[in-house]
Amino acid sequence: MKSRISWIAAVGTLVLAAAAAVLCGYPVFHLALELPSAAGIASSLGPLWNSLWTSAVSSAIASLVGMAWAVMLSGAVRRGRAALHAISLLPLWTPPFIGAFALGDAYARAGLLDQLAHVHVSWLYGPWGVTAALAIHAAPIGYLSGLTAIAAMNVEPMWAARSCGAGLWRAFWAAFRPVALRPLLAACALSFAFSLGDFGVPYELGEPSGFRTAATSIFANLSTGGTQGFTAATWQAFELMAVGALAVTVSRAAMRFDPGLGTSAPGATPLPLFPKRVRAISLAAYGLYVATTSGLPLAALVLTALTRAYGLPPTPRNWDAAGLFSPLVSAWPALVHTVVLAILAAAVIALLGLVAAEAVPASAVARAAHLALWLLYAAPGTAVAVAILVAFGHVLYGTWWILGFAYVAKFYGLADAIVVARGNAPPEPWRAARSFGAGPAGAYGAAIWPAIRPAARQVTLQALMSGLYEVTLASLLYGPNTQTIPVAVLSASEGGDVRTVAVLAVWMTAASFALGLLALREPRRRRSQGLSQLRMAMPAAPLEEVKLG
């Protein structure tokens, strides 16, 4: 048995090492070779600074706000937590480019709020609008980290402090503070990397005002800059890759908690409900926040898609429901391209994750290859696209291969959840199955696969979701016959066709929400066993499992 396991680990190590060499080592090596003289750094520092400060401010806001909502909702309700949990994750499921467009459609001049109340947000298009939108989209990361801290919190000191006369918040803080710092730091680092690499938000809300980040600068340099622009884009890609990898490495280190953190211990006392008045205020504040950041923007997006011409009042007499389908009909080749590419990329990522789950515990080479592949998740999409373009563009540009390589390289980090789940699987069922005569495949199916199946399912769904709305890689690497739906949305936005943007955005968002809810939903078999836990994998951390009532 030991020799068979060693043989399987050896094959897995070879597969993982080859994938790391093709998807990470070769592109990054070529990117480093293509770096021009240090004189090219100067022109990249301005956009890089804009990326750094907007990412830092938005990550701090997102982490604090998300963790605050986790605390308030955990102490405000018992029933309905599943619905509130799903609502809290809506910004994470909304494609950032579409979320930024929806915010502009709701709050900018001539937006829905301006039409209804003659009020608009003058600073939305500019650096502070970019920062606010990035914070909204990253807040669910802070929320998930807050749930992790609450699940690990020991409430006994809280009850002891209360019995000694301490106030509610002072007693809560005494119990919460010891377990809150590391999740907060991890959320800040992960949110920073998320914001640093985002292209859609600064493109939609920053470019109209002339505010350019490193991600949008790379896109502009590659689109119109010629040789000089490619030189600047190479430097910027290298800078973003280094900073993003550092940020998520910090997150990964901070999230290495004690075993069991993230799940309530058996028999643990849940966080007590807050007083009725505090609960009412918390729910009212949360409702206002959701309505402002998600409800009104998504409503504006749907109304724009329904209205037959942009600029008309979004009243029922101006609605044209048939128009919700005509852009899909005209863009059906791009739709097919998007779905097929996302499915294939998700399948490859899940399979590589299963290979890594068997090879990583047994081989230092496999661990190094897994880490190298995982680090590309930390790199912004524009940086990954430039690295892939430099390495394979002369041979594969304009083909599906280059897009497939880029998607797998960028989203492989999601597969870390499978590796973690495999490491947490107890060895006893495997040994028992083998002792009763089961072969390696039969023992794997009976003892190992049930333990990692939820992680594999979730990773596949999240990779599929990411592939469906990925705009950064697709916009830089697509060719005449490889256009995807996100590229069609970007092209319509550049052409000023607002309704087409809104219609395609509605369908993309609906698909993303459906996949997100499916990722949270437990199969009926596990619900019948009383294992109804909602899950959401954080890319740079172990799989989160948080009891929600």
Side-chain angles (χ1 to χ4, degrees), residues 295-448:
L296 188 61
L298 291 176
L301 185 67
V302 172
L303 288 175
T304 301
L306 278 172
T307 305
R308 64 172 54 92
Y310 183 70
L312 292 176
T315 55
R317 66 178 181 179
N318 293 324
W319 289 355
D320 176 23
L324 287 174
F325 301 94
S326 54
L328 283 180
V329 174
S330 59
W332 71 266
L335 177 62
V336 173
H337 295 166
T338 304
V339 173
V340 172
L341 181 62
I343 290 175
L344 290 177
V348 171
I349 289 168
L351 288 174
L352 282 177
L354 292 174
V355 171
E358 300 305 315
V360 165
S363 169
V365 174
R367 286 192 292 274
H370 175 69
L371 179 62
L373 285 168
W374 169 85
L375 283 174
L376 285 182
Y377 193 94
T382 46
V384 174
V386 171
I388 295 290
L389 188 63
V390 167
F392 303 111
H394 60 291
V395 176
L396 300 178
Y397 185 73
T399 68
W400 290 111
W401 286 102
I402 196 169
L403 280 171
F405 282 174
Y407 276 43
V408 174
K410 182 68 178 79
F411 301 125
Y412 173 83
L414 293 168
D416 195 42
I418 301 177
V419 178
V420 173
R422 178 65 177 92
N424 293 333
E428 289 79 10
W430 164 273
R431 295 169 184 162
R434 292 292 283 158
S435 66
F436 280 98
Y444 183 89
I448 304 301

Side-chain angles (χ1 to χ4, degrees), residues 1-15 358-359 362 440:
M1 181 180 71
K2 185 175 181 180
S3 61
R4 178 64 64 88
I5 293 175
S6 300
W7 180 80
I8 293 173
V11 172
T13 299
L14 288 176
V15 172
E358 300 305 315

